[in-house]
Amino acid sequence: ADIPSSKSSKKASKNSEILIGGDFGLTESMTFSDGFVLGRTQGKMLRDISKKTEQSVAQIQTFSLPEFFGMERKNQENRRNHRNNCFNHNLRLKNINTHYRKRQRRVNKRLEQFKYRTVNEMMKHFMSNTVYGNYQDRNIHFVFESLEYSNLGRNKAQKRQINLIKGMYARLEEKTKAENLPFKISYVNSAYTSQMCPHCYYVAKENRGQGTFRCLHCGYTVLEDERFQCLRKVIPPELLPPEDDFIASRNIRDRLSSLPDSLKQHR
């Protein structure tokens, strides 16, 4: 039998595919299964945008006459009045274009810059060798949670966050195709990934706490994860991923290869 040389085995290991799971959050853009956290300033940025948008709408409402209803307030029918609202009234007065739309353009530009910056940072991380892993000249298979199954979007802040993640997905796919990057992207149903124990597959809401994880069935904690133990030795505590998001990203990664969507255990 032919025994492969060391060079050929080294080449095979370099070309092997690495599975990386990604869990998006409300405070950070993405927590990956290797422990890398992307876009930690996302939550602060979205809260700032939401606050400034509310102030802009409130300013427009003060300029409109009483008979012109606001988008939600001052509406006696408890629903939006698209004919006699403050935006249409200010549009007639020609004082909406100079302030509100300029602010919205600045907001959209800020979101676009954040999206491109985070995607570029993600590409740089997974195309180089760092303490998180050796990814240079390796094929990376990303496993993300599909937004089709997400139950988010109940308020404006969550909708704004989902749209941002959708834009990041689209930007990553465009860059991968245009620059022929060694990336592959798959999407899976993320149901119960943040509540499921990766050791015994037990599912319960109480498994996760405020940034922590402990299985009520077998007692598994994130500190027992070999990957998390290695991260604690090489990176500062403030750069460690949240425990529950780290577990979710690991479950998302494993869901593609080993764990079917229907496999879950309840109390």
Side-chain angles (χ1 to χ4, degrees):
D2 294 333
I3 301 176
S5 63
S6 59
K7 289 185 178 180
S8 61
S9 61
K10 185 177 181 181
K11 184 177 180 181
S13 63
K14 278 192 173 183
N15 293 330
S16 60
E17 190 176 77
I18 302 177
L19 274 177
I20 298 291
D23 173 64
F24 73 83
L26 295 175
T27 55
E28 65 280 337
S29 297
M30 195 77 65
T31 300
F32 293 98
S33 56
D34 66 342
F36 178 62
V37 180
L38 180 69
R40 292 181 182 269
T41 60
Q42 174 188 272
K44 182 178 180 300
M45 180 192 67
L46 292 180
R47 288 192 299 270
D48 183 55
I49 289 176
S50 177
K51 182 179 179 180
K52 290 184 177 179
T53 302
E54 290 178 1
Q55 292 175 351
S56 299
V57 174
Q59 186 178 12
I60 291 175
Q61 289 176 342
T62 58
F63 292 153
S64 61
L65 297 175
E67 60 267 19
F68 290 90
F69 299 127
M71 296 302 285
E72 283 91 9
R73 296 186 304 171
K74 300 181 182 179
N75 194 338
Q76 298 174 357
E77 299 176 358
N78 291 325
R79 62 181 181 179
R80 293 188 176 187
N81 190 316
H82 295 282
R83 180 176 298 178
N84 292 328
N85 61 49
C86 60
F87 281 84
N88 289 340
H89 180 224
N90 281 269
L91 193 61
R92 297 177 204 173
L93 298 178
K94 297 182 180 179
N95 62 359
I96 188 176
N97 297 320
T98 55
H99 300 292
Y100 181 77
R101 292 184 178 176
K102 281 185 179 179
R103 292 193 185 102
Q104 291 304 108
R105 281 196 293 267
R106 285 198 295 267
V107 166
N108 293 334
K109 185 177 180 180
R110 184 179 178 185
L111 290 172
E112 288 295 316
Q113 290 176 345
F114 180 84
K115 178 177 63 177
Y116 294 151
R117 186 168 62 251
T118 50
V119 170
N120 290 337
E121 183 182 351
M122 172 183 168
M123 291 168 49
K124 181 180 178 181
H125 173 77
F126 288 105
M127 295 181 69
S128 59
N129 297 334
T130 63
V131 295
Y132 294 92
N134 298 328
Y135 303 122
Q136 193 171 8
D137 301 326
R138 304 291 295 273
N139 296 322
I140 308 297
H141 188 171
F142 292 110
V143 185
F144 296 132
E145 47 189 327
S146 175
L147 296 175
E148 296 179 1
Y149 304 101
S150 176
N151 62 352
L152 294 175
R154 299 175 181 175
N155 53 49
K156 294 179 181 178
Q158 291 181 353
K159 290 178 181 178
R160 194 175 284 115
Q161 192 260 354
I162 286 180
N163 289 333
L164 182 62
I165 297 299
K166 284 182 178 178
M168 291 177 59
Y169 285 169
R171 177 62 176 168
L172 179 61
E173 291 175 355
E174 291 173 2
K175 295 275 285 185
T176 301
K177 185 177 181 180
E179 301 181 14
N180 196 22
L181 300 176
F183 295 158
K184 182 181 178 182
I185 304 173
S186 299
Y187 300 96
V188 297
N189 187 345
S190 60
Y192 305 105
T193 50
S194 61
Q195 305 174 13
M196 184 181 68
C197 174
H199 183 255
C200 68
Y201 305 132
Y202 178 75
V203 176
K205 291 182 179 179
E206 294 80 5
N207 281 352
R208 62 179 303 190
Q210 295 294 330
T212 60
F213 186 92
R214 183 180 183 277
C215 179
L216 298 181
H217 179 66
C218 68
Y220 179 87
T221 66
V222 72
L223 299 179
E224 300 177 40
D225 189 281
E226 183 179 351
R227 179 67 191 165
F228 200 84
Q229 291 177 1
C230 295
L231 289 175
R232 295 179 67 195
K233 299 177 182 178
V234 295
I235 63 176
E238 62 271 13
L239 296 181
L240 285 172
E243 295 182 6
D244 50 349
D245 293 341
F246 178 77
I247 290 295
S249 65
R250 306 283 273 188
N251 288 334
I252 290 171
R253 180 202 62 183
D254 297 338
R255 176 151 297 188
L256 182 68
S257 57
S258 61
L259 185 65
D261 293 346
S262 59
L263 178 59
K264 53 183 182 290
Q265 298 179 4
H266 289 282
R267 184 176 301 169

